[in-house]
Amino acid sequence: MMNDGNVTLTLTPAADSPRPLVLTPGQDLRGYLAALLGRAFLFFLTFSSVLAVMLILVFVVIRSLGFLSSSSLMEFLASQSWRPTADPPVFGALAIIVGSLYVSLAALVFAVPLGILAAVFLSDMVSWKVRNVVKPIVEILAAIPSVAYGFFAVLVLAPWLQREFGFSTGTNALNASLILAVMALPTIISVAEDSISALGRELREASYSCGATRMETLLRVVIPAAHSGIIAAVVLGMMRAIGETMVVWMASGNAPQIPHPWWDLAQSVRTLTATIAGEMGEAPETSLHRGALFAMGVLLLLMTLGMNIVSEYFLARAKKAGGKA
Amino acid sequence: MKLRFRGQLDRVFTIATGLSVVLLTLVLLAILGPMVYRGSSAVFFQGTVEFRKMQKNLFGRGDEQALHAEVAETEKVRQQVYEMIDAFKKGVDVEALSEQVRQIHRQFGQDLRDRNLPAGEYTRLRELTRQIRDKLEAAFRSQDINEIKRLVGEVLKDESNPQLKGTSAEKLFAIARQFLQAAGQIDLGKHQEYALALQEAEGILFHSEALPGLLGPRPGEPPAPLVMLRYGATRWDQAQTLLDRFLWVEHWVEEKPGEPLVLQRKPRAELFPEPLRPLFTYVEQNAGKMLHPRRTVYWQFLRDDNVNSHYFGGIGPEILGTMLITVVGMLFVIPLGIISAAYLVECASDGWTMRIIRMGINTLAGVPSIVFGLFGLAFFVLFLFPLLGFAPRPCILAASMTLAVLTLPVMIRASEEAIRSVPATYKEGSLALGASRFHTFIAVTFPAALPGILTGVILSLSRIAGETAPILFTGAVSLGAVPRSLFDPTRTLSYGSYDMAVGDRLGMMVPHNQYGMVVTLVLLILILNGAAIMLRTRVFKKLRGH
Amino acid sequence: MRKAILSAVLVALATGTVARAETLRIEGSSTVGPIADAFAEYFKSVNPGLEITVNKNGSGNGATALIEGRCDIAAMSRFMSPDEFAKAVANKVYPVAWTIAMDGICVVVHPSNPVKALTSAQVRDIYMGKITNWSQVGGSNTPIVVISRDTSSGTYETFETLVMKKQPMAQGVEYVNANPQAQARVKTTAGAIGYVGLGFLEGVKVVPIDGVRPTKQTVANGTYPLSRPLFLFTNGFPKLGSIPFKFVTFYLSEKGQELVEAKDFVPVTNY
């Protein structure tokens, strides 16, 4: 099968194709029906897989309805007090929402410059051969299971941060965002590299011919021209970071507080995903508590949906820009 | 001048991009390096005789005779440890002594009843041993050596009593004499203290109620209920930690009031009186002879089942379970992902329905994986299985299906991108030559898109093998039999690692097994990925015509 | 060819459901899990034909699994909630509780901490954020790092009821998801305070609460204020002599008690 991958094969089907030039009505009908059936079958498969995926969204929304209809949405979004097992329970998720955004944004601060530099390195600095060696490194980073990252965060990074920087706690926003940065890097690098190399030679050559150095070409011409793709890369990286569960659960310290002062990464924060993962198992099946956790899931969905729309928009623009160049 | 500056700047920039990649590589090494190093000690380590005993008893491995000879050799060296402790105990462990004396008294009464003595005789002898018992117990309790001498002396007067000769009561005199001898050598006021210290030392040396010790239980002791307590330190590194704990006591002492305490180490021998001190030097000098450390390659770690929640044994069933779940999951993901992507690209019009579908699929990136688990339980196990006539309980099939749903978006998206990026000219050429659309897809588009599709396979494979939360409700167990069909639940590497990290303290006691499990998972994924990456490079080369 | 072998293997796997020996399914709390593991291993060594599966996915899930008939025994570190009971009865499941062991929750600090004892009021003030420096309770001048178990765990619930008296914890409190993590955090942080089960005291210093030190005796007889029972739940009273019956009554035997102790919990009987 794989041997047939080259161009010679694209010629063969016509050569030994049993297709006569003129079809009888019966053959025509049969061919039409077969195509129709095949299409229907493919549609069914596609439909069912898409359906299974879509059902999750429905599932999350339905399970949260009980909570959303019976509890105050205002309290959920505006209160900082998350005490699901108190009597009466208080479901204020503000600090947790902020925590989610906080670590993801901090992760981006680490990951974006590094990711763009690495993408530029892969697309403009090295030969095809070197690129083929370096790319798997990035892919391996994407392949390491999150449990392993979690172990690293708790057992290696946390004590190190505590020792070297004198933090009172090693499991904090800094720890979580560093690990999330590493996890988001592969996405950022590959999408950014695609859009940078898609710009083609002409733009670069034009810049070089004006006497610009490589750095100037890249920083002033290529990267601005590829900005849509890079923004999309950043948003996709952010989506990866905000949806990650196990690592933040182990590394962030899980204190439902808004860091004060706001730039102090050495404080513990708690994220939406970690709260869901940590509390779902113990909360009674039909309780408000579970509903509140699912409501957090809905919130996450809305966040990723928003980011998605943004990334689609910029990717579409990047495609257009690439097409023009 | 300015030109030179620009040239410098350019070079700095080039170096910076290179450094970013170097940094990435370093991060990768920093994450994998220590983990692989610690994990490899699950297989490569210095195994002691206790390890070989355990292997023989639990897995039937190793040469019986050689083991016997080795055990005999080590027991000979250990014998002296037992003797030193027993000798010391006779003067110190007064509660055990009292218990022993009471036991002998009861036994003697039993013997007398069996001999059918006349009633008067019986009462007299019983009274005699009762007096001996009480005097001995008084002596054990006493802290005055002169009183002990007097009491023991009174007891020993009865030794010549012919009626006690040859009976079970005779043992009382041996105990009395040994106690007198031992009591002369130690500070009697510290009985209680010594007994506690000895208990702790014995716990480290043999085993305590909940923790295994350096040498393992003494021969003849009834087996402990937990298997891990039945063996000493099976690994030399473990043995050294225990030896250190045996030889040194850690104290946190106050140097200045109101300041944090400071750690101080002092020899454990100092807690004991002179007669027992040689024990510590003896154990320190002869630890190697008592344990026989030897380089061991325990490759069966990858095959064996575990004992006592991964205290002993390996991760065979976990590897099998992970492979099964991954393979079955991929059987769902790959065809469904490619077909869906092909349909979305080739057949469906690029209208707003497509956009919504794509948007929905991408939005799933933000759903925490545990929600997939609950969904899988509610939809596959409790809804779909009864519909298809299967038993509605968590199993490998359900776990694979749940993971498939989790990774389908990744797969669809990657395949879609790959298929879309095949130049239209390829397809048009094929169609122009008269091939059907189906044939064109199979023969032209698909091979051309294969590298991109394989990237999708790599990404989804890593997630399927590595996820924990989705299978928590749909097919993973922490303890259970090796699965015999797809309708059995299974253990997996990912859940196992998580369980060991958060379960009880066993994970901390056997970090090599914990890391070994994580590293095996990482390596398994990397090997599978390596295969996919190599495949992709080959396909790529073919496509570029090299 | 390879495909043929693969599919043959898969078919064999899928159809290979042999009529298998009796299976006992246990689900629930990760605190009770280790006891269930130890019991299960012992049971399997005595009844070779028996299959036992243990899944530690949380007390809430254990209860749900029992109510929906997906497991035979639910392991729980808290008592069933009234809601769960109502749902069970509606489902024609009648939960019976078996208290198999007691768990002591020890308040621990870093071993370098000079604090000798605390009252439960002081611990409450520390967790509420009213006391923020160890010098306020007779220790050195070190800021307190407060570590709690996650709000959904049974350990947290016990602590909240018995120490916090339902007062809210301060916002800066750090939450960790398991006993080993709590122990590790306290062990490595000079100013830390936390609470863990009896089995996690290596390398940390136990602080007596209200003058009582947590030991097996004080936990079992209730003099130590922070102890809680651990449960197994069955559907109805199991048939006498059946495997589930033997399993849930195993804690009464000497072997069972030894196992409970070997896992660092406190047997309910014996003392």
Side-chain angles (χ1 to χ4, degrees):
Chain A
M1 253 284 283
M2 242 65 91
N3 308 345
D4 306 342
N6 55 23
V7 196
T8 48
L9 189 113
T10 58
L11 299 171
T12 44
D16 56 8
S17 170
R19 239 175 159 191
L21 284 174
V22 183
L23 297 174
T24 64
Q27 275 173 323
D28 200 21
L29 185 66
R30 243 178 289 152
Y32 176 71
L33 282 180
L36 202 67
L37 272 179
R39 236 187 120 116
F41 178 67
L42 288 184
F43 176 76
F44 170 74
L45 281 185
T46 309
F47 179 74
S48 56
S49 63
V50 168
L51 187 73
V53 168
M54 294 297 189
L55 269 179
I56 298 235
L57 306 183
V58 179
F59 177 72
V60 176
V61 174
I62 287 181
R63 295 293 295 268
S64 69
L65 283 181
F67 171 77
L68 291 177
S69 62
S70 71
S71 201
S72 150
L73 197 63
M74 240 354 249
E75 175 192 293
F76 186 64
L77 292 178
S79 162
Q80 285 191 39
S81 169
W82 176 256
R83 295 171 56 215
T85 49
D87 193 26
V90 187
F91 300 105
L94 180 64
I96 301 174
I97 298 168
V98 171
S100 251
L101 293 171
Y102 189 74
V103 286
S104 312
L105 287 174
L108 287 187
V109 170
F110 297 118
V112 168
L114 198 64
I116 291 177
L117 280 180
V120 166
F121 180 82
L122 286 175
S123 69
D124 278 64
M125 302 289 179
V126 290
S127 67
W128 180 258
K129 265 193 188 146
V130 179
R131 184 182 170 280
N132 269 355
V133 177
V134 176
K135 201 108 198 257
I137 295 180
V138 178
E139 274 165 352
I140 286 176
L141 278 178
I144 295 175
S146 47
V147 169
Y149 276 117
F151 264 66
F152 176 77
V154 173
L155 299 173
V156 184
L157 193 56
W160 185 77
L161 286 174
Q162 227 170 321
R163 216 173 39 237
E164 296 297 315
F165 297 93
F167 294 157
S168 64
T169 158
T171 52
N172 52 25
L174 180 63
N175 188 335
S177 46
L178 280 177
I179 299 279
L180 285 180
V182 176
M183 297 180 82
L185 265 173
T187 317
I188 295 179
I189 292 175
S190 70
V191 180
E193 194 223 332
D194 281 347
S195 69
I196 290 175
S197 51
L199 281 176
R201 301 174 70 107
E202 294 85 349
L203 206 61
R204 293 179 170 86
E205 278 160 8
S207 170
Y208 288 137
S209 67
C210 291
T213 62
R214 184 152 67 177
M215 179 186 88
E216 286 157 357
T217 304
L218 283 166
L219 288 186
R220 300 239 179 104
V221 179
V222 177
I223 293 180
H227 78 277
S228 308
I230 291 175
I231 292 176
V234 171
V235 175
L236 286 174
M238 171 111 181
M239 266 165 68
R240 177 88 178 90
I242 212 163
E244 179 51 48
T245 309
M246 232 47 216
V247 165
V248 284
W249 179 219
M250 289 166 99
S252 69
N254 295 314
Q257 59 174 346
I258 296 174
H260 181 86
W262 65 269
W263 42 263
D264 189 4
L265 282 170
Q267 293 183 33
S268 298
V269 293
R270 172 184 277 224
T271 69
L272 291 169
T273 47
T275 309
I276 295 174
E279 303 189 354
M280 195 68 96
E282 297 287 334
E285 178 81 20
T286 47
S287 61
L288 270 186
H289 186 185
R290 267 218 180 181
L293 294 176
F294 274 103
M296 287 186 164
V298 172
L299 216 56
L300 274 169
L301 285 180
L302 291 178
M303 282 184 192
T304 35
L305 185 69
M307 280 186 259
N308 218 317
I309 292 171
V310 172
S311 82
E312 286 284 317
Y313 171 75
F314 280 107
L315 273 182
R317 268 184 51 173
K319 226 167 252 171
K320 257 189 226 155
K324 262 185 237 154
Chain B
M1 184 59 208
K2 205 182 163 217
L3 201 65
R4 219 166 86 214
F5 179 64
R6 280 169 62 201
Q8 294 284 335
L9 217 57
D10 186 48
R11 209 161 302 146
V12 169
F13 181 72
T14 311
I15 293 172
T17 59
L19 277 182
S20 71
V21 174
V22 173
L23 187 64
L24 271 186
T25 320
L26 286 180
V27 166
L28 184 67
L29 287 180
I31 292 174
L32 287 184
M35 220 174 265
V36 170
Y37 171 71
R38 292 196 215 177
S40 65
S41 72
V43 176
F44 306 97
F45 56 95
Q46 299 264 323
T48 66
V49 62
E50 295 296 317
F51 176 77
R52 293 183 278 282
K53 270 192 229 172
M54 181 269 285
Q55 285 285 307
K56 180 82 207 153
N57 291 346
L58 299 182
F59 300 100
R61 224 170 260 144
D63 179 29
E64 180 114 39
Q65 256 156 17
L67 183 67
H68 263 301
E70 200 181 6
V71 169
E73 211 174 305
T74 51
E75 279 304 326
K76 217 164 67 193
V77 188
R78 293 177 186 196
Q79 197 57 41
Q80 207 159 338
V81 174
Y82 305 148
E83 276 164 17
M84 279 193 235
I85 289 180
D86 286 344
F88 181 67
K89 240 187 195 168
K90 287 196 175 114
V92 166
D93 196 352
V94 289
E95 284 192 15
L97 285 173
S98 299
E99 179 54 39
Q100 219 177 340
V101 167
R102 263 174 270 154
Q103 176 69 35
I104 294 171
H105 171 67
R106 271 199 299 275
Q107 180 64 41
F108 184 61
Q110 189 70 39
D111 291 350
L112 288 180
R113 269 195 294 280
D114 291 348
R115 269 159 54 191
N116 272 332
L117 289 174
E121 186 80 338
Y122 172 79
T123 326
R124 207 176 54 76
L125 282 172
R126 273 296 266 177
E127 187 53 37
L128 183 63
T129 52
R130 181 172 305 130
Q131 274 172 15
I132 293 176
R133 183 195 71 181
D134 292 346
K135 277 178 198 156
L136 279 176
E137 283 196 84
F140 295 153
R141 273 195 305 272
S142 166
Q143 297 185 357
D144 177 8
I145 187 68
N146 293 323
E147 195 182 345
I148 291 177
K149 274 185 184 151
R150 181 181 63 80
L151 285 164
V152 173
E154 279 176 27
V155 167
L156 288 178
K157 266 185 223 151
D158 288 316
E159 201 179 2
S160 48
N161 191 332
Q163 273 173 304
L164 296 180
K165 271 257 151 36
T167 65
S168 51
E170 222 181 0
K171 289 184 215 143
L172 291 171
F173 303 114
I175 293 174
R177 199 168 287 123
Q178 278 163 343
F179 176 68
L180 186 62
Q181 193 186 357
Q185 292 173 335
I186 57 168
D187 184 351
L188 292 167
K190 289 187 169 171
H191 261 164
Q192 196 73 32
E193 220 171 282
Y194 289 151
L196 279 176
L198 185 66
Q199 202 184 352
E200 199 186 323
E202 272 190 303
I204 300 171
L205 212 48
F206 305 126
H207 70 85
S208 64
E209 186 167 81
L211 294 173
L214 179 66
L215 302 177
R218 296 173 56 159
E221 201 181 298
L226 272 186
V227 177
M228 64 185 222
L229 301 180
R230 295 182 200 162
Y231 301 92
T234 51
R235 309 159 61 94
W236 188 233
D237 51 341
Q238 242 174 16
Q240 271 165 328
T241 323
L242 282 168
L243 191 63
D244 185 72
R245 267 185 54 209
F246 180 68
L247 295 175
W248 298 90
V249 196
E250 291 190 347
H251 275 297
W252 290 84
V253 288
E254 190 176 42
E255 285 195 333
K256 267 182 266 165
E259 291 285 307
L261 309 181
V262 185
L263 180 67
Q264 251 183 17
R265 276 160 70 92
K266 68 172 188 188
R268 190 178 290 275
E270 285 176 15
L271 299 181
F272 293 95
E274 205 51 59
L276 197 67
R277 293 200 182 162
L279 172 72
F280 294 89
T281 13
Y282 183 81
V283 171
E284 188 179 8
Q285 282 164 358
N286 292 294
K289 281 184 199 151
M290 292 190 287
L291 287 165
H292 278 205
R294 196 191 294 163
R295 193 172 303 155
T296 310
V297 180
Y298 179 41
W299 62 268
Q300 291 98 335
F301 177 73
L302 302 175
R303 213 186 74 189
D304 282 347
D305 202 345
N306 74 76
V307 177
N308 273 172
S309 317
H310 288 286
Y311 192 82
F312 291 136
I315 53 172
E318 277 84 2
I319 294 181
L320 178 73
T322 303
M323 300 265 260
L324 275 178
I325 286 190
T326 312
V327 168
V328 178
M330 292 316 280
L331 284 182
F332 284 110
V333 170
I334 295 177
L336 276 181
I338 295 175
I339 289 174
S340 306
Y343 186 85
L344 292 180
V345 177
E346 304 275 341
C347 301
S349 53
D350 207 20
W352 62 271
T353 19
M354 280 301 89
R355 284 201 161 178
I356 289 182
I357 286 180
R358 192 168 307 130
M359 207 71 92
I361 287 177
N362 291 341
T363 304
L364 280 180
V367 177
S369 44
I370 194 156
V371 172
F372 281 91
L374 291 171
F375 169 78
L377 176 67
F379 183 67
F380 291 125
V381 179
L382 299 178
F383 174 72
L384 200 61
F385 275 20
L387 219 61
L388 299 174
F390 302 148
R393 64 191 182 108
C395 62
I396 294 178
L397 190 64
S400 299
M401 285 161 97
T402 310
L403 287 170
V405 174
L406 175 79
T407 48
L408 255 180
V410 180
M411 188 69 207
I412 293 180
R413 204 187 151 90
S415 315
E416 216 188 312
E417 290 293 322
I419 294 171
R420 207 185 289 279
S421 63
V422 174
T425 44
Y426 284 25
K427 283 181 239 173
E428 284 156 10
S430 166
L431 290 172
L433 288 165
S436 69
R437 289 180 70 172
F438 180 68
H439 205 150
T440 303
F441 180 77
I442 294 293
V444 180
T445 317
F446 179 71
L450 200 53
I453 292 177
L454 281 173
T455 306
V457 172
I458 293 176
L459 287 174
S460 38
L461 195 136
S462 314
R463 279 207 82 177
I464 287 198
E467 276 290 347
T468 310
I471 54 175
L472 200 58
F473 305 100
T474 51
V477 286
S478 66
L479 188 107
V482 179
R484 269 178 272 174
S485 79
L486 292 184
F487 294 99
D488 282 340
T490 183
R491 288 178 264 166
T492 72
L493 289 170
S494 53
Y495 182 42
S497 325
Y498 178 70
D499 187 38
M500 274 186 95
V502 302
D504 53 8
R505 53 161 191 218
L506 281 178
M508 292 183 290
M509 285 158 63
V510 279
H512 49 273
N513 284 350
Q514 193 176 12
Y515 278 102
M517 187 134 68
V518 180
V519 167
T520 314
L521 176 62
V522 174
L523 289 185
L524 196 70
I525 291 174
L526 290 189
I527 289 170
L528 291 171
N529 275 338
I533 288 177
M534 256 160 59
L535 193 64
R536 189 179 62 187
T537 323
R538 266 182 54 189
V539 172
F540 235 156
K541 272 194 187 144
K542 284 240 168 68
L543 283 179
R544 306 180 102 225
H546 292 305
Chain C
M1 186 57 204
R2 262 178 292 169
K3 263 187 191 163
I5 295 176
L6 190 68
S7 51
V9 168
L10 282 173
V11 167
L13 270 171
T15 52
T17 6
V18 220
R20 51 172 42 205
E22 201 172 352
T23 329
L24 190 66
R25 286 166 298 167
I26 303 162
E27 262 187 62
S29 160
S30 53
T31 312
V32 195
I35 305 183
D37 276 350
F39 279 18
E41 244 177 293
Y42 179 80
F43 260 65
K44 267 198 304 197
S45 66
V46 215
N47 315 310
L50 183 66
E51 300 279 3
I52 304 181
T53 61
V54 179
N55 194 348
K56 300 169 204 162
N57 49 15
S59 298
N61 285 307
T64 312
L66 185 76
I67 293 167
E68 291 174 0
R70 270 178 285 121
C71 71
D72 305 301
I73 296 172
M76 296 182 70
S77 60
R78 57 171 170 83
F79 203 71
M80 266 198 190
S81 73
D83 278 1
E84 283 165 337
F85 262 114
K87 211 174 151 214
V89 173
N91 250 16
K92 294 212 161 43
V93 169
Y94 306 101
V96 174
W98 306 82
T99 315
I100 54 164
M102 301 286 287
D103 186 16
I105 297 169
C106 312
V107 175
V108 292
V109 296
H110 191 264
S112 74
N113 196 326
V115 165
K116 292 205 177 64
L118 291 169
T119 63
S120 43
Q122 280 172 328
V123 177
R124 178 162 60 243
D125 285 350
I126 289 175
Y127 275 88
M128 284 172 72
K130 287 188 193 160
I131 298 179
T132 52
N133 195 301
W134 283 112
S135 58
Q136 286 166 276
V137 285
S140 55
N141 181 19
T142 321
I144 303 181
V145 179
V146 188
I147 290 160
S148 164
R149 287 288 309 281
D150 52 290
T151 46
S152 60
S153 66
T155 318
Y156 171 87
E157 234 166 276
T158 315
F159 189 81
E160 203 201 16
T161 329
L162 297 176
V163 175
M164 301 306 291
K165 313 273 187 224
K166 298 281 174 187
Q167 300 279 345
M169 284 193 185
Q171 285 207 330
V173 171
E174 210 184 297
Y175 294 85
V176 293
N177 57 344
N179 270 327
Q181 271 74 11
Q183 180 193 6
R185 292 285 297 116
V186 175
K187 207 167 145 181
T188 53
T189 312
I193 183 171
Y195 52 91
V196 292
L198 270 176
F200 298 87
L201 303 181
E202 198 250 308
V204 293
K205 178 169 146 185
V206 185
V207 185
I209 299 298
D210 298 335
V212 187
R213 183 169 284 280
T215 62
K216 294 195 166 165
Q217 282 80 356
T218 54
V219 167
N221 62 25
T223 29
Y224 182 67
L226 287 178
S227 44
R228 59 163 172 174
L230 302 176
F231 304 98
L232 295 181
F233 278 86
T234 51
N235 173 12
F237 195 86
K239 197 169 153 266
L240 294 183
S242 66
I243 292 285
F245 175 79
K246 283 185 191 154
F247 196 91
V248 293
T249 52
F250 184 56
Y251 74 97
L252 292 168
S253 72
E254 201 176 325
K255 271 264 163 3
Q257 285 170 8
E258 272 178 58
L259 283 175
V260 167
E261 276 192 288
K263 287 284 173 188
D264 279 308
F265 293 101
V266 183
V268 214
T269 50
N270 201 12
Y271 285 102

